[in-house]
Amino acid sequence: MSVAERAGPVAPRIPAVAVLAHYLVGYRRTWRAGVFSSFLLPVLTVVGFGVGVGAYVDRGVGGVPYLDWLVPGLIASTALQVAVAESTWPVHSNFKWIRTYHAQVAAPLRIGDILAGHLAFVLFRVLTSTAAFLLVTALFGALRSPWAVTVLPVSVLLGLAIAAPTFAFSAAVPSDSYLALLFRFAIIPMTLFAGVFFPVESLPGGLRQLAYVTPLWHAVDLCRAAALGVAPQWSVTGHLVYLAAWAAVGWLLARRVFHRSLVV
């Protein structure tokens, strides 16, 4: 039993927002180092893939210039990459190396507050990163619809759908070498084959079905439809429910692993 649970109801509860504040205070000392890359990477990516590769795609994709077609997928992919980066080694280190979670559970903090506060910080990072990408691509004139602003909430939902189960994985594995395997066998293939760089329909049938299972494809389809001002390939409600299901299952798994690891 944790110190907080032994204290009983007389111990004052510290809400999840206090945990979020803890991470924001730390981020306040380092955010300047990330601002430059937050804008430089979208510029390099758009120029390299959209303008460079796009010059070899004569008719674009579905009658849309390749840059305009590519940008929404890149934004969703950015949300994925940030969510995973913030949910792997930072979470694992909080258990194994710096043991931040153990210090937090010794305070009047519940497991749910610890988990929710850290997830909220991850979503903050996803939101700021995708907002920077959206701004850069808007300056390049690659957004064709005012509905493009809805890319931001979709990216946050994707971030939660990815971060929550990744929290559970990072908390459960005994060594950080497993985190490298996650990138190699899950994140990189998902990024390559979930419709970011080319239509999923061009894949063989088996790979296409696997692409449809990934949460990234659902976010890419929503973001692309919003940025281009067209209907998505699948139901909007279906996309949102599917991403929410990933987030909910991931939350339950993460909460269970956190409870097992922190409550003694």
Side-chain angles (χ1 to χ4, degrees), residues 38-152:
S38 294
F39 287 93
L40 178 62
L41 286 178
V43 171
L44 294 177
T45 303
V46 169
V47 171
F49 283 100
V51 179
V53 177
Y56 293 93
V57 183
D58 296 333
R59 294 185 298 276
V61 180
V64 177
Y66 184 65
L67 175 61
D68 297 0
W69 186 89
L70 176 68
V71 158
L74 291 178
I75 295 176
S77 177
T78 297
L80 167 77
Q81 299 292 340
V82 172
V84 173
E86 294 288 343
S87 305
T88 46
W89 276 274
V91 172
H92 189 75
S93 66
N94 279 353
F95 276 107
K96 302 295 184 180
W97 302 327
I98 60 178
R99 300 176 70 85
T100 300
Y101 293 141
H102 295 82
Q104 290 175 338
V105 81
L109 276 168
R110 302 188 306 179
I111 299 296
D113 293 325
I114 295 172
L115 179 58
H118 198 172
L119 275 172
F121 175 72
V122 173
L123 298 185
F124 166 78
R125 291 283 292 115
V126 169
L127 178 62
T128 54
S129 298
T130 53
F133 207 133
L134 191 68
L135 176 61
V136 168
T137 53
L139 295 177
F140 274 85
L143 303 177
R144 302 164 65 94
S145 169
W147 283 100
V149 295
T150 62
V151 165
L152 294 178

Side-chain angles (χ1 to χ4, degrees), residues 225-240:
L228 298 180
V230 299
Q233 296 182 34
W234 206 40
S235 159
V236 173
T237 302
H239 281 314
L240 296 176

Side-chain angles (χ1 to χ4, degrees), residues 164-252:
T166 305
F167 263 59
F169 179 82
S170 301
V173 295
S175 167
D176 64 325
S177 60
Y178 288 87
L179 305 180
L181 295 177
L182 176 68
F183 274 89
R184 184 174 302 171
F185 294 108
I187 304 305
I188 293 177
M190 190 190 310
T191 303
L192 293 176
F193 300 112
V196 175
F197 301 104
F198 54 85
V200 170
E201 291 73 25
S202 62
L203 291 170
L207 286 177
R208 189 185 316 159
Q209 297 305 316
L210 287 177
Y212 292 150
V213 172
T214 65
L216 180 58
W217 176 80
H218 294 267
V220 167
D221 191 34
L222 283 174
C223 291
R224 185 162 287 139
L228 298 180
V230 299
Q233 296 182 34
W234 206 40
S235 159
V236 173
T237 302
H239 281 314
L240 296 176
V241 169
Y242 188 77
L243 291 173
W246 269 80
V249 172
W251 167 268
L252 294 175

